[in-house]
């Protein structure tokens, strides 16, 4: 039987209402957008809340300029979670690599090429400071020195070891004390004080952990040095 004009309008309205009800059942509360998507077939652009910020080398929020090295240092958390040293998206020192230890964790890097030279840890609670001195004394001009503390980095420090770090650009090492957290990037032959250094003092009033301050995290971009003449 052919529907007349008014009946045809009523039938169309009933069909639309039924379609809307089915869409609500299948797509949930946001039926309006779901129905539009269902009929149009177009995909909606993600909202800003749905997008994730892009991360760059070593987790930096922005890329480093050309001829710069991206780095991130994380000191140890109490005596439980070990430190990390990342350079150009490569983990140089970490618990996973099993090359960290209590005290000072140090990575030496060629400041001209960015090549890793050596990694080593020094127990500054029960170790021998002479091992640290033998490590720092012969550094070549332009060598980058990355340092991250773990547990206690200062007990075995003596005047010469502090002076050697000062020559690398440190200003905090002269005050570094028992169980302070410390991260530092310096260089052999640096003319000014390093801009890459943080220290968190061990204090009962402000410690995040019982007997230890909170972990420190520092990142940035270090310019490569031009090749040394001669």
């Amino acid at each position: 039987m052919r529907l007349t004009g008014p009946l045809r309008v009523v039938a169309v309205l009933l069909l639309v209402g039924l379609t809307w009800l089915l869409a609500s059942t299948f797509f949930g509360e946001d039926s309006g957008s779901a129905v539009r998507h269902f009929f149009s077939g177009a995909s909606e652009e993600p909202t800003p809340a749905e997008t994730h910020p892009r991360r760059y080398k070593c987790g930096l929020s922005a890329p480093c300029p050309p001829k710069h090295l991206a780095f991130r240092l994380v000191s140890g958390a109490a005596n439980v979670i070990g430190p990390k040293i990342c350079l150009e998206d490569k983990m140089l020192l970490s618990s996973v690599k099993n090359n960290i230890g209590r005290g000072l964790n140090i990575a030496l890097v060629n400041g001209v090429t960015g090549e890793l030279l050596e990694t080593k840890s020094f127990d500054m609670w029960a170790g021998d400071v002479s091992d640290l001195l033998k490590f720092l004394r012969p550094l070549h001009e332009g060598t980058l020195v990355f340092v991250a503390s773990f547990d206690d980095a200062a007990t075995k420090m003596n005047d010469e070891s502090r002076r050697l770090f000062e020559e690398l650009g440190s200003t905090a090492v002269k005050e570094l004390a028992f169980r302070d957290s410390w991260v530092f990037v310096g260089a052999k032959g640096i003319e000014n004080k390093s801009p890459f250094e943080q220290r968190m003092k061990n204090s009962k009033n402000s410690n995040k952990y019982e007997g230890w301050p909170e972990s420190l995290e520092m990142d940035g971009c270090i310019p490569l040095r031009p090749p040394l003449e001669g």
Side-chain angles (χ1 to χ4, degrees):
M1 182 177 69
R2 184 180 293 271
L3 297 175
T4 61
L7 291 176
R8 183 179 299 172
V9 172
V10 172
V12 170
L13 291 176
L14 287 173
L15 180 60
V16 170
L18 179 60
T19 301
W20 192 277
L21 179 62
L22 290 173
S24 299
T25 303
F26 280 100
F27 298 111
E29 294 181 359
D30 191 11
S31 57
S33 61
V35 170
R36 287 194 297 272
H37 175 77
F38 181 77
F39 282 108
S40 67
S43 59
E44 297 182 2
E45 292 295 325
T47 63
E50 294 171 337
T51 59
H52 299 286
R54 183 175 177 182
R55 292 295 177 183
Y56 298 88
K57 291 179 179 179
C58 292
L60 271 66
S61 59
C64 289
K67 297 184 178 180
H68 282 66
L69 301 174
F71 77 91
R72 181 182 297 274
L73 299 180
V74 183
S75 68
N79 62 345
V80 180
I81 301 175
K84 296 178 183 178
I85 298 180
C86 175
L87 183 70
E88 284 293 284
D89 237 16
K90 296 179 180 179
M91 198 62 70
L92 307 185
L93 279 158
S94 71
S95 299
V96 174
K97 292 181 70 69
N98 196 30
N99 62 348
I100 62 167
R102 176 176 63 182
L104 294 174
N105 293 269
I106 302 178
L108 302 182
V109 173
N110 187 311
V112 177
T113 65
E115 175 190 4
L116 174 65
L117 301 176
E118 188 175 1
T119 63
K120 202 163 185 179
S121 63
F122 299 90
D123 188 341
M124 302 305 291
W125 168 254
D128 189 342
V129 71
S130 64
D131 294 334
L132 175 64
L133 299 177
K134 293 174 184 177
F135 185 75
L136 295 178
R137 285 171 183 157
L139 294 182
H140 296 292
E141 188 83 2
T143 302
L144 296 173
V145 182
F146 296 78
V147 183
S149 67
F150 184 28
D151 190 355
D152 173 44
T155 295
K156 288 299 178 92
M157 278 271 192
N158 61 7
D159 290 342
E160 184 180 358
S161 60
R162 294 178 191 272
R163 179 181 57 79
L164 289 171
F165 279 116
E166 287 186 72
E167 292 176 357
L168 297 173
S170 173
T171 56
V173 69
K174 59 185 177 182
E175 304 292 340
L176 193 67
F178 174 66
R179 286 185 177 176
D180 288 355
S181 292
W182 185 41
V183 287
F184 167 68
V185 183
K188 182 69 174 182
I190 190 172
E191 295 180 359
N192 301 308
K193 300 305 180 183
S194 171
F196 302 116
E197 183 172 30
Q198 293 181 22
R199 170 187 169 236
M200 179 66 69
K201 184 175 176 56
N202 169 24
S203 171
K204 292 182 179 180
N205 297 326
S206 60
N207 280 349
K208 181 175 182 179
Y209 310 104
E210 183 180 354
W212 289 270
E214 65 181 305
S215 174
L216 292 175
E217 185 169 343
M218 179 176 68
D219 58 35
C221 303
I222 299 175
L224 288 169
R225 294 182 55 144
L228 300 175
E229 296 182 0

